[in-house]
Amino acid sequence: MSIAVIIGVHDGIVIAADSASTLTISAAPGAAAGIANVYDNANKIFNLYKEKPIGCATFGAGSIGNSSIGTLIKDLRAALMNKEKAKDLKIEFDPDKYTMEEVSKTVAKFLGDECQKQNPAMLPALNIGLLLGGYSTGQSLGESWSVEIKAGVPTAPVQLRPPDQAGISWGGMSEAIQRLVIGYSPLIFQVLAEVSGEEGKAPVTAQELFDQLNLLLMTKLQANLVFAPMPIQDAIDLGRFLVHASIMFSRFLPGAQMVGGPIEIAAITKHEGFKWIERKHYYDQRLNREASHVVVDKSEKD
């Protein structure tokens, strides 16, 4: 599992995520899956088009078939940047004129198509979420979008908030952040449903309670941490804090630590575009100066 956070302010968009990836194995067909290992170096944040202000973070299932979500997102990026590859995948994308809604739909369709190539028996486990941030062509404010793949089927992209409104959104193991920002555990409605039935009557459902109380509780309890004029550096610091809080919360819970590893952060702004703030590498940058995504000071000597 994992945690991914997207923060929107007027100066830009910040995307932050952990690096944990959980390997689950079933002892027998149909048996419940158990945690075999937790890896701490998964890649979850991506620039969807080099030198364009478009990025995303993923959470949920870490792979589709034999390919990691990271590899598939990079496959999509290669297609977006190459008209012939895009044509082969039936992708229509104009890098000089696009909207974030179109980008979100393209990502959803691409991953959905990859899911449908798998054994149907695997589809129930293919639940993937993405938080996308960036600038539509010609627009001065960044946008935040969400895409979900449920049991291998993509849902329609959702714009998380109007571009002129600041806010935080997150996905994955959200217990710590929801307690901190919203003011209550996401399990509260289940607990209330179990105790809310009158004598001789069945308790109401958690969904009924959610519909009745969620907006009221959020209005009364939510901590206002983000404001539109917040500088991008402060938004970066907030993203780092929220991911770190989730990592430490997971660390001290019983069981495997399913949120962890290095924190990665990217910022997307109108004039600077997509910029890495914190990033891990599996190779030494000094030995890989020619990598297209590695910038090394040319004045350095070997």
Side-chain angles (χ1 to χ4, degrees):
M1 202 56 177
S2 54
I3 188 69
V5 175
I6 186 167
I7 300 172
V9 295
H10 282 179
D11 270 0
I13 304 290
V14 170
I15 302 174
D18 73 323
S19 297
S21 177
T22 305
L23 174 64
T24 58
I25 297 178
S26 297
I35 297 175
N37 207 339
V38 179
Y39 302 110
D40 280 340
N41 291 284
N43 295 315
K44 300 180 182 179
I45 296 179
F46 306 94
N47 184 193
L48 285 169
Y49 195 108
K50 294 294 185 182
E51 299 183 359
K52 293 291 182 182
I54 313 170
C56 73
T58 72
F59 57 92
S63 62
I64 299 175
N66 294 324
S67 298
S68 70
I69 300 300
T71 294
L72 291 171
I73 293 293
K74 291 178 181 179
D75 288 343
L76 173 60
R77 179 172 65 199
L80 293 177
M81 297 179 67
N82 184 298
K83 291 183 178 180
E84 292 302 317
K85 291 182 179 179
K87 185 177 180 180
D88 291 341
L89 294 175
K90 298 181 180 179
I91 293 174
E92 295 184 6
F93 181 77
D94 183 351
D96 297 318
K97 186 178 181 182
Y98 63 86
T99 67
M100 285 303 300
E101 181 176 12
E102 292 171 350
V103 172
S104 300
K105 289 180 177 178
T106 298
V107 173
K109 182 181 183 303
F110 175 80
L111 293 179
D113 289 347
E114 290 296 321
C115 288
Q116 296 309 308
K117 296 176 184 178
Q118 308 306 311
N119 185 323
M122 302 298 295
L123 293 181
L126 294 179
N127 298 300
I128 305 161
L130 296 102
L131 299 174
L132 299 99
Y135 288 74
S136 299
T137 301
Q139 297 303 305
S140 59
L141 292 174
E143 302 173 29
S144 300
W145 287 77
S146 172
V147 165
E148 288 189 75
I149 311 292
K150 296 182 177 180
V153 179
T155 60
V158 175
Q159 188 170 17
L160 296 172
R161 66 190 63 86
D164 62 346
Q165 292 184 11
I168 313 170
S169 300
W170 54 84
M173 297 190 69
S174 60
E175 177 86 10
I177 294 180
Q178 180 153 337
R179 285 179 180 231
L180 182 65
V181 178
I182 303 298
Y184 55 85
S185 166
L187 298 176
I188 188 174
F189 300 106
Q190 178 181 331
V191 174
L192 289 174
E194 292 173 356
V195 300
S196 63
E198 298 178 8
E199 185 176 352
K201 295 182 180 180
V204 298
T205 67
Q207 184 61 49
E208 289 171 337
L209 274 173
F210 178 88
D211 294 339
Q212 295 171 19
L213 298 177
N214 187 51
L215 181 59
L216 176 63
L217 290 173
M218 287 182 63
T219 302
K220 297 293 185 179
L221 301 179
Q222 183 168 343
N224 294 319
L225 300 180
V226 180
F227 297 91
M230 175 183 282
I232 197 70
Q233 180 62 63
D234 293 286
I236 290 167
D237 294 343
L238 177 58
R240 181 186 296 107
F241 163 68
L242 293 174
V243 174
H244 182 259
S246 296
I247 290 173
M248 298 306 291
F249 186 82
S250 178
R251 173 186 170 187
F252 293 110
L253 284 177
Q257 184 176 349
M258 298 173 67
V259 181
I263 296 173
E264 293 197 315
I265 307 172
I268 308 171
T269 59
K270 178 180 179 181
H271 295 292
E272 288 77 27
F274 182 101
K275 294 294 182 183
W276 284 103
I277 308 302
E278 293 182 18
R279 188 186 190 189
K280 60 185 179 295
H281 291 288
Y282 64 87
Y283 51 80
D284 191 321
Q285 291 174 271
R286 293 173 299 175
L287 304 177
N288 293 272
R289 294 169 181 264
E290 295 182 0
S292 62
H293 55 293
V294 175
V295 178
V296 177
D297 186 349
K298 299 296 185 181
S299 65
E300 292 181 3
K301 297 181 179 179
D302 292 325

